[in-house]
Amino acid sequence: MKKVAVIMGSDSDLPVVEKAITTLKELEIPTEVHVFSAHRTPAEAKAFTENAADNGFGVLIAAAGKAAHLAGALAANTVLPVIGIPVKSSTLDGLDALLSTVQMPSGIPVATVAIDGSANAALLAAEILAVSDDALRDKLRALRQKGTETVLAKNRAIEEKYNG
């Protein structure tokens, strides 16, 4: 199975990306976690990304706040799918990061999830890998079914309480 890289622009983004890391590990997807800054370590970020496919990666997840150029900087150096997680900051509640991540120029796509949406980033990475992995696709289906059952159990409890 291909690996997923979870890359954050700063270690202060770790509380946000931990949900992605946990989700990927629960799905038994090999995961590596790194800190590379688009602005402070551009050479290292570029080198990692240029070699990512040869090093067994299938998807890159990039989390960054404020100017949030990390996902775009990674996407500029690979044809692997890049998923951006805009991280909420105190400045504009993450809107700045969302716009920086989602507004990519034609030819350099970055899939973007919600502000602080790292669990969905991990699930999207898993879905991309599951295109060629039946076992992973089955795990994702089971996870969806579990979500359905959780909501239906909550519905039954509410119905019993309020509908007699």
Side-chain angles (χ1 to χ4, degrees):
M1 175 183 297
K2 295 284 187 182
K3 299 184 286 187
V4 173
V6 177
I7 303 168
M8 61 197 107
S10 168
D11 64 348
S12 65
D13 300 327
L14 185 58
V16 171
V17 301
E18 282 182 323
K19 289 179 185 173
I21 297 164
T22 300
T23 301
L24 291 165
K25 291 197 181 281
E26 286 174 354
L27 290 167
E28 300 175 315
I29 296 172
T31 305
E32 284 188 20
V33 183
H34 300 277
V35 176
F36 293 123
S37 168
H39 304 107
R40 285 170 259 150
T41 61
E44 292 81 359
K46 181 178 181 184
F48 178 86
T49 307
E50 286 177 334
N51 295 303
D54 290 339
N55 289 328
F57 291 94
V59 181
L60 308 178
I61 296 174
K66 299 186 179 185
H69 293 139
L70 183 59
L74 299 180
N77 292 296
T78 187
V79 294
L80 292 176
V82 176
I83 302 167
I85 305 169
V87 176
K88 184 177 181 178
S89 67
S90 60
T91 311
L92 295 171
D93 288 333
L95 185 58
D96 49 347
L98 174 64
L99 294 175
S100 294
T101 305
V102 77
Q103 292 288 27
M104 290 299 299
S106 181
I108 309 294
V110 170
T112 306
V113 296
I115 296 167
D116 291 351
S118 67
N120 271 352
L123 291 170
L124 180 55
E127 289 175 351
I128 291 167
L129 295 178
V131 167
S132 60
D133 187 324
D134 292 341
L136 181 55
R137 194 166 35 252
D138 290 342
K139 288 178 187 177
L140 288 167
R141 284 185 182 124
L143 191 62
R144 289 266 179 108
Q145 183 59 39
K146 182 179 175 184
T148 297
E149 291 167 5
T150 298
V151 171
L152 291 176
K154 290 177 181 182
N155 176 60
R156 283 189 297 277
I158 291 294
E159 286 178 346
E160 288 174 16
K161 181 175 182 174
Y162 294 102
N163 298 341

